[in-house]
Amino acid sequence: MSTEQLNQVIEAIISGKYSWACVLILRFSGYNPLQYMPYRTYNRLIKQNYNLGNRNKTSSSQASKILNRC
C-alpha cells in the first residue's frame, strides 16, 4: 500500500467512514470488495465516497464505470 493510499484510508477513518475504509483497504490490497459485501452496499459506498478519494476529479459517471469493472 502506497503512502497516498494509506492517507486515504486514514482520512476515511478520521471522517468516521469505517465501511469506506474497509473498501479502500480491500481494493488497495488487491481484493474484490464484492466478495465480502453485498453489491447494493458496495454500490452505495462507491456513489457516496468515490469523489472523496479522488479529490472530486471524477464524475458520477466515472464512478459507475468502476462499478461495471467489478
Side-chain angles (χ1 to χ4, degrees), residues 23-63:
V23 168
L24 292 175
I25 290 170
L26 287 168
R27 290 179 73 193
F28 295 153
S29 300
Y31 293 98
N32 182 357
L34 288 172
Q35 292 179 340
Y36 300 94
M37 66 181 63
Y39 175 79
R40 291 179 68 186
T41 302
Y42 180 72
N43 188 22
R44 178 181 50 81
L45 289 169
I46 289 290
K47 287 180 180 179
Q48 289 176 347
N49 299 296
Y50 185 74
N51 288 334
L52 295 177
N54 288 317
R55 312 280 191 259
N56 295 321
K57 290 181 182 176
T58 59
S59 66
S60 61
S61 63
Q62 288 174 325

Side-chain angles (χ1 to χ4, degrees), residues 1-10 24 27-29:
M1 190 179 307
S2 72
T3 304
E4 183 179 332
Q5 291 172 334
L6 182 60
N7 287 338
Q8 287 181 18
V9 172
I10 292 170
L24 292 175
R27 290 179 73 193
F28 295 153
S29 300

